[in-house]
Amino acid sequence: MARLITAIVLALMVIAGPAMASDDESTVVLVAHVDVETQRLTRDTTRALFAMRQRSWPDGMAVRVFVLDNNHPVHARFAKERLGVYPHQLQLAWDRMVFSGTGQAPMRAFTQPDMLERLATTPGALGYLEREYLDDRVQVIAIE
């Protein structure tokens, strides 16, 4: 009986191991250009940046915000999990600013590799990626 329990526990560990690793890799993180000096942002500041209400980093450098399409699952996860808003709420804020002439919407990336490239090559850039897409051309910004 003890061998059966041990075998079941080992089988569950083998099955759960890759799932747990992929969960970590699929975590959506806030990402910026490597030259950005800011290392941490509050959730409120992050939300203001993505709502396009705040147009500069805390040190005064201009921020260039990039997002994926509203229907992209990573965009939805980032908006809900990291910003605490629904994607349609962000779109409403962007539309209001564009139509009133008081601001503009963020720039769109089409895929995560495209997002990585844009973040890596645009000074002051801010966006988000799943961990598996990160490389040394960008940096992760902590959200407090």
Side-chain angles (χ1 to χ4, degrees):
M1 184 65 154
R3 286 186 179 173
L4 177 62
I5 292 173
T6 302
I8 291 172
V9 169
L10 287 173
L12 289 173
M13 289 172 52
V14 168
I15 292 170
M20 290 180 352
S22 67
D23 284 349
D24 186 49
E25 287 179 359
S26 67
T27 300
V28 181
V29 294
L30 187 63
V31 181
H33 187 271
V34 291
D35 290 342
V36 169
E37 292 182 15
T38 301
Q39 300 293 310
R40 301 178 168 286
L41 292 171
T42 65
R43 183 183 239 193
D44 287 342
T45 300
T46 306
R47 192 179 296 135
L49 288 165
F50 277 91
M52 305 300 285
R53 291 188 317 266
Q54 182 171 329
R55 297 182 179 135
S56 62
W57 289 96
D59 66 3
M61 179 183 199
V63 67
R64 305 280 308 269
V65 178
F66 290 91
V67 296
L68 294 166
D69 187 74
N70 285 345
N71 297 323
H72 197 289
V74 173
H75 176 72
R77 284 184 22 233
F78 177 76
K80 288 189 241 176
E81 295 171 9
R82 300 293 179 198
L83 301 179
V85 298
Y86 289 99
H88 73 271
Q89 292 172 299
L90 285 174
Q91 187 64 54
L92 286 172
W94 301 332
D95 289 347
R96 192 171 21 254
M97 290 188 340
V98 169
F99 295 139
S100 68
T102 60
Q104 60 188 54
M107 292 165 277
R108 299 274 179 178
F110 301 104
T111 62
Q112 290 190 81
D114 181 39
M115 173 78 82
L116 174 62
E117 189 61 31
R118 290 171 186 248
L119 294 172
T121 59
T122 307
L126 177 66
Y128 49 84
L129 291 167
E130 289 178 312
R131 284 197 181 277
E132 67 185 272
Y133 289 91
L134 297 176
D135 67 24
D136 60 354
R137 299 179 298 155
V138 294
Q139 64 173 316
V140 173
I141 304 293
I143 301 175
E144 300 173 332

